[in-house]
Amino acid sequence: MTAHPFSRGRLLAGAAFLSVFLAAPALAQAPAEDAAAQIDAPVSGNSEIIVTGVKATRSATAITTTEIQKILPGVAPFKAIQTLPGVMYVTADPWGNNEQNASLFIHGFSAQQLGHTLDGVPLGDQSYGNFNGLSPQRAIISENVGSVVVATGAAELGIASTSNLGGAIENFSSDPRAQMGAQINQTIGSYDTSRTFVRLDSGEFGGGNSGYVSVLRQRARAWDFRGIQKGWQANAKFVHDDSNGKLTAYFAYSDKQEPNEDATTVFKNPTNAAQAYQPYTRPFLYPDFDAAIGYLDANGNVPAAEAQNYRNFYSAAIRTDYLGYIKYQAHLTDKIDWSTQGYYHHNEGAGIVAGPITVAGLPTLFSLYFPGQNLKEATGNSGYAIRTTEYRIDRGGVISTLDAQVGDHTLQAGFWFEHNSSAAYRNWYALDVTRPNDYSPYELPPHDPMFTQYGSEMRTDVVQFHVQDAWQLTPSLLIQGGFKSSLQFASGTFPVQPIIGSLPGSSSALPEGEINTKRWFLPAIGAKWNVTDKEQLYVNVQKNMRQFQPYGGGGVTPWSSGSQAAFDNLKNNGRPESAWTYEVGFRTSRPIDTGFLTGIDAQVNYYHVDFSDRLLGITPAGAIGGIGGGGISGGTPAVFNVGGVKTDGVDAAVTLRFGKTFSLYNALSYNNSIYDSDYSTRTGEATGTRIGGIATVDGVVPTGGKNIPVSPKWMNKTVATLTIGDFDAQFIGDYAGRRFTTFTNDASVKSYFLGSARIAYRLPPELIGLQKAEISLNVTNLFDEKGASTVQASANTNNYNVYPIAPRQWFATLSVIY
């Protein structure tokens, strides 16, 4: 794609727009430009709720461990960054752990269009059925997170990601503490929550050595059914730091079982009683097997009125991960550093759902595999069958970066290589009515599957290079420019092919083949001007792309497109999604001596995005229900290139400090992301038209001029913190505006405002003989708001899937550091 012309007039208009906001609320700032400097927070005492200025020429915000744990001890990193401007993260549990119903948007880009790393190690694109990574909450225990840095506009050139069309979320682990000691956190709370965290630090020994090991056990009952969210995690980190360099080794183990919510399928204009039945929750029947049997009639049918939103017996995600890296940063000279990092990740997991056999296309599926048989008898005679998608990931890679200071230039060159072998197998198991105690959402069935519907094997090699120069042209003006190259070599096969007709949307075998995508020149240029020693103006222009997803288990990917012809068309004529991002911003950090107001930290950022070749996956008809609204029988989405999306937005935020006693943070975000064109279901391409309305006309779907769904236009975040001696209190307010729920914008969910609160008391160390002892109480969804949490849009009009907001819950934590 040729570079989109970004006129001088648009830049000047953006700068003029900023000047209106110079005194407006924006975001708190710390002077450090290096993200690593934000990792460690003090054990006790005050810290800024938000830090900005961690990226020289980009809009970036950060939150440190102290503030992460204030939100809720043990909160997932994604949930913690919800307080940052431009970020929307929702999920059906208060911890932010459940991945099946998680939704993340930053500046109109979803989690799958952002970059994600831990200490530089790529975490993949955060798809639920992941093929190239794992969630941050599995890669690291929450209490070991040092900081999370969010580049909301465009990520650094050197980030190890093939999905960062927009920004990136960089998670950093905390380093070992200088003193030997132990930390124990115990949290109890609503729905039988029990969370135990233990960390042992060695302190410094043997001349620059230090390390820690930590273990976590968490259990919490789901708030609307009797499933248990549970798991074990362990982290270990070793650091050797001397004048020659820094050696870091890190290991993470995670074994998690998470019962899943079921989305409610909503029809804006229902045409029958089943479509009109739209319950707020769809609780599972497990572990009450008698109730599950009683829910069905003699033929295994669900109640007729609940045919669209029926109840499953159970559903869950089970995931086991091993992640490790070794990194050495060599100080070759006082001007040159060379860091090399090798990493490896192994994952085994499964998505499990036990549901009725008479819904969502299952009679058609089972009749193909059991022709002429009584389907209830063939599947265990309970009226239920168990579907699993069983995953495997084996990936390893190397990241190497050279930094050199040459006069006024800071030069950087980097290389990233990863080889990934992944697999996804769709198995079906009988649920034997005579052995109900043999079945559990927390493990695979204890016998062989009835059949394997399909099985995919993917092999992917990724190679990325980048070079950049940061030129300190004058003491107050920094210019930064460079480019990266992104190459992906991906191939996929299906050792097990489905019976023709068993997957909605596919009338042939699933496609196989290789797609190699090479983009040699993805440029970036930016500047930072220190207007004063307290104020900065920055600008950045950057091109990014998202490689095709090499996944064979569903999703918007060539290998799940339904036919070899569709795959070959995408291979030969398709283009990966790409985006030009333009941002200009202003930030300030000033002490103020008024005797009342003592400081103000502020940032405002305007951005524009030209998004090209947006890919859209439309769920095949008849595939409603099951996990996430996708058909329990599976299905291959129709993949359409709907053309471009234009985005304009503003983030503005402020932190006001009133001595050490009180601070008030508020962030206002506006995002307007519009489809450029309609698209044709006949050609699979954008039409260049905007016919308007919501009706499809001669195969033309009127998406042109419509907002992208799910991402709200308006958001507002508030954090008020009060500290009086050893007493802390905090209130967090989170407003999200109306969200469209279909691609033609004929349906939407209303806005919401969620509040949460915390009170804490630190016991005086001199009285207890410890480094720290703190008792805290957190309340989530303080006002017990009801409404739509995660929304999933997969249809052009009328229907969508929605998850409920978790109710008010409380959690008490005792944290002790010896």
Side-chain angles (χ1 to χ4, degrees):
M1 187 185 78
T2 58
H4 179 86
F6 189 78
S7 68
R8 182 179 302 170
R10 182 176 286 175
L11 274 173
L12 292 175
F17 180 82
L18 281 171
S19 67
V20 178
F21 283 86
L22 293 188
L27 195 58
Q29 175 186 346
E33 297 289 339
D34 182 5
Q38 309 302 332
I39 290 178
D40 290 311
V43 170
S44 62
N46 299 318
S47 66
E48 297 297 336
I49 177 64
I50 302 296
V51 182
T52 68
V54 294
K55 305 287 185 183
T57 66
R58 294 168 171 81
S59 62
T61 55
I63 184 167
T64 60
T65 184
T66 301
E67 299 306 327
I68 290 171
Q69 298 310 310
K70 282 184 179 180
I71 293 169
L72 178 62
V75 71
F78 280 155
K79 187 70 172 178
I81 65 172
Q82 171 61 19
T83 57
L84 303 184
V87 178
M88 180 177 187
Y89 180 76
V90 289
T91 187
D93 75 294
W95 307 90
N97 282 331
N98 195 298
E99 300 171 34
Q100 170 247 8
N101 51 60
S103 177
L104 171 65
F105 277 85
I106 297 178
H107 288 184
F109 289 111
S110 70
Q112 292 75 40
Q113 296 164 331
L114 303 170
H116 307 270
T117 62
L118 171 66
D119 294 343
V121 173
L123 299 181
D125 77 348
Q126 302 302 303
S127 298
Y128 170 62
N130 206 289
F131 62 94
N132 69 346
L134 72 166
S135 66
Q137 58 264 34
R138 285 189 274 138
I140 186 169
I141 299 171
S142 174
E143 286 85 349
N144 293 330
V145 175
S147 69
V148 183
V149 177
V150 182
T152 53
E156 295 281 359
L157 289 173
I159 192 167
S161 171
T162 59
S163 57
N164 62 304
L165 268 176
I169 301 171
E170 299 174 78
N171 301 274
F172 295 93
S173 63
S174 60
D175 274 347
R177 299 188 178 109
Q179 286 184 295
M180 179 185 294
Q183 178 179 353
I184 301 174
N185 289 7
Q186 178 62 51
T187 299
I188 59 172
S190 296
Y191 301 98
D192 303 320
T193 291
S194 177
R195 188 177 195 279
T196 306
F197 168 76
V198 178
R199 170 167 158 166
L200 304 176
D201 277 82
S202 68
E204 291 187 4
F205 66 95
N209 299 309
S210 59
Y212 65 78
V213 294
S214 58
V215 177
L216 169 71
R217 177 186 181 272
Q218 179 164 341
R219 290 175 62 89
R221 182 167 61 86
W223 58 269
D224 61 338
F225 58 94
R226 290 166 62 188
I228 305 296
Q229 186 182 65
K230 59 184 179 178
W232 287 89
Q233 288 182 260
N235 293 168
K237 189 172 185 179
F238 170 81
V239 173
H240 173 80
D241 197 356
D242 60 29
S243 60
N244 296 317
K246 182 177 180 180
L247 173 68
T248 306
Y250 176 83
F251 172 77
Y253 165 77
S254 174
D255 183 42
K256 300 186 74 175
Q257 300 90 42
E258 293 182 343
N260 288 326
E261 299 284 334
D262 246 350
T264 294
T265 300
V266 176
F267 293 84
K268 181 186 177 185
N269 298 304
T271 59
N272 54 51
Q275 291 185 1
Y277 175 68
Q278 299 172 12
Y280 185 62
T281 64
R282 291 175 59 193
F284 297 124
L285 295 161
Y286 180 86
D288 193 339
F289 189 71
D290 290 338
I293 296 299
Y295 181 66
L296 308 178
D297 67 16
N299 296 316
N301 295 306
V302 303
E306 300 181 19
Q308 292 290 343
N309 285 302
Y310 56 88
R311 296 177 67 178
N312 283 313
F313 184 37
Y314 60 72
S315 175
I318 55 177
R319 303 284 192 269
T320 302
D321 293 275
Y322 302 86
L323 175 70
Y325 73 78
I326 297 176
K327 179 179 180 179
Y328 187 67
Q329 181 177 2
H331 306 315
L332 301 181
T333 72
D334 61 345
K335 302 285 187 180
I336 302 175
D337 272 15
W338 182 17
S339 74
T340 300
Q341 184 175 27
Y343 65 89
Y344 174 73
H345 170 222
H346 172 75
N347 164 265
E348 292 181 358
I352 304 173
V353 56
I357 65 169
T358 57
V359 296
L362 289 187
T364 299
L365 171 69
F366 290 147
S367 66
L368 292 171
Y369 285 91
F370 305 104
Q373 297 185 43
N374 181 297
L375 300 184
K376 185 176 180 182
E377 293 177 359
T379 55
N381 213 33
S382 64
Y384 293 86
I386 302 169
R387 189 205 77 181
T388 68
T389 309
E390 299 172 27
Y391 309 103
R392 189 206 73 244
I393 301 173
D394 281 295
R395 63 188 182 102
V398 176
I399 305 167
S400 189
T401 306
L402 183 70
D403 293 276
Q405 184 73 42
V406 182
D408 294 329
H409 297 265
T410 301
L411 305 175
Q412 184 180 91
F415 166 83
W416 169 44
F417 168 78
E418 178 178 280
H419 173 73
N420 182 22
S421 169
S422 65
Y425 284 76
R426 172 64 54 82
N427 289 323
W428 288 89
Y429 297 82
L431 202 162
D432 192 336
V433 71
T434 65
R435 299 185 297 160
N437 294 328
D438 288 353
Y439 301 97
S440 162
Y442 312 116
E443 58 188 6
L444 293 173
H447 51 77
D448 292 334
M450 297 182 294
F451 60 90
T452 299
Q453 189 177 2
Y454 64 81
S456 67
E457 293 284 344
M458 311 297 297
R459 303 292 181 267
T460 309
D461 290 313
V462 172
V463 180
Q464 286 193 175
F465 309 91
H466 80 279
V467 294
Q468 70 176 20
D469 177 20
W471 180 19
Q472 196 69 54
L473 185 62
T474 72
S476 61
L477 179 61
L478 173 74
I479 298 176
Q480 184 171 288
F483 73 94
K484 74 175 180 180
S485 302
S486 181
L487 294 77
Q488 178 174 280
F489 307 89
S491 64
T493 62
F494 286 84
V496 181
Q497 286 281 3
I499 292 179
I500 303 301
S502 69
L503 283 176
S506 176
S507 59
S508 66
L510 291 173
E512 299 183 323
E514 180 177 308
I515 297 181
N516 298 330
T517 312
K518 305 170 187 176
R519 293 295 183 270
W520 293 99
F521 188 67
L522 298 169
I525 187 168
K528 181 194 69 172
W529 176 33
N530 292 328
V531 182
T532 71
D533 62 343
K534 304 296 184 183
E535 281 81 30
Q536 296 176 349
L537 185 69
Y538 63 88
V539 62
N540 194 68
V541 180
Q542 189 163 332
K543 184 180 182 181
N544 284 313
M545 69 169 290
R546 179 193 185 209
Q547 295 279 9
F548 288 126
Q549 291 180 296
Y551 180 51
V556 186
T557 163
W559 288 269
S560 297
S561 56
S563 71
Q564 193 66 45
F567 174 89
D568 291 340
N569 182 60
L570 283 168
K571 176 180 179 178
N572 297 323
N573 304 309
R575 296 173 297 276
E577 296 175 325
S578 63
W580 280 94
T581 299
Y582 311 89
E583 53 183 332
V584 57
F586 175 86
R587 51 198 176 212
T588 182
S589 179
R590 280 192 172 270
I592 298 174
D593 187 12
T594 66
F596 181 60
L597 178 65
T598 59
I600 181 171
D601 301 311
Q603 177 171 303
V604 63
N605 180 64
Y606 164 76
Y607 58 92
H608 173 84
V609 180
D610 289 319
F611 185 171
S612 300
D613 299 308
R614 175 73 179 250
L615 298 180
L616 205 66
I618 303 298
T619 302
I624 296 171
I627 293 179
I632 188 174
S633 61
T636 59
V639 179
F640 298 101
N641 184 328
V642 297
V645 175
K646 293 289 189 298
T647 295
D648 289 281
V650 176
D651 294 329
V654 67
T655 296
L656 303 175
R657 295 194 304 274
F658 302 86
K660 296 182 177 180
T661 301
F662 183 70
S663 68
L664 179 64
Y665 160 78
N666 187 264
L668 179 66
S669 300
Y670 171 78
N671 177 278
N672 190 35
S673 297
I674 301 291
Y675 291 112
D676 286 342
S677 168
D678 306 325
Y679 76 91
S680 170
T681 60
R682 297 175 180 175
T683 66
E685 299 288 337
T687 61
T689 62
R690 291 190 178 187
I691 63 175
I694 62 171
T696 298
V697 180
D698 294 330
V700 175
V701 181
T703 50
K706 306 296 174 57
N707 286 93
I708 66 169
V710 182
S711 178
K713 277 191 176 183
W714 292 98
M715 291 188 290
N716 185 262
K717 286 78 180 290
T718 301
V719 181
T721 305
L722 175 69
T723 302
I724 301 175
D726 293 319
F727 172 83
D728 282 337
Q730 187 173 81
F731 171 81
I732 298 176
D734 180 16
Y735 169 82
R738 181 177 66 144
R739 289 168 284 168
F740 290 111
T741 55
T742 63
F743 297 117
T744 60
N745 295 174
D746 70 322
S748 64
V749 295
K750 67 178 184 178
S751 62
Y752 67 71
F753 178 82
L754 299 179
S756 62
R758 174 186 186 266
I759 56 173
Y761 179 71
R762 289 184 300 276
L763 301 175
E766 62 274 12
L767 296 182
I768 56 177
L770 301 173
Q771 293 187 52
K772 175 187 174 183
E774 182 179 76
I775 301 172
S776 61
L777 176 67
N778 291 73
V779 181
T780 61
N781 193 1
L782 184 64
F783 307 115
D784 207 21
E785 176 86 359
K786 289 187 176 181
S789 173
T790 301
V791 175
Q792 294 175 329
S794 59
N796 290 318
T797 62
N798 193 30
N799 68 277
Y800 57 93
N801 297 284
V802 64
Y803 292 89
I805 294 174
R808 179 170 53 231
Q809 298 181 45
W810 66 269
F811 305 96
T813 302
L814 172 63
S815 178
V816 176
I817 297 181
Y818 294 91

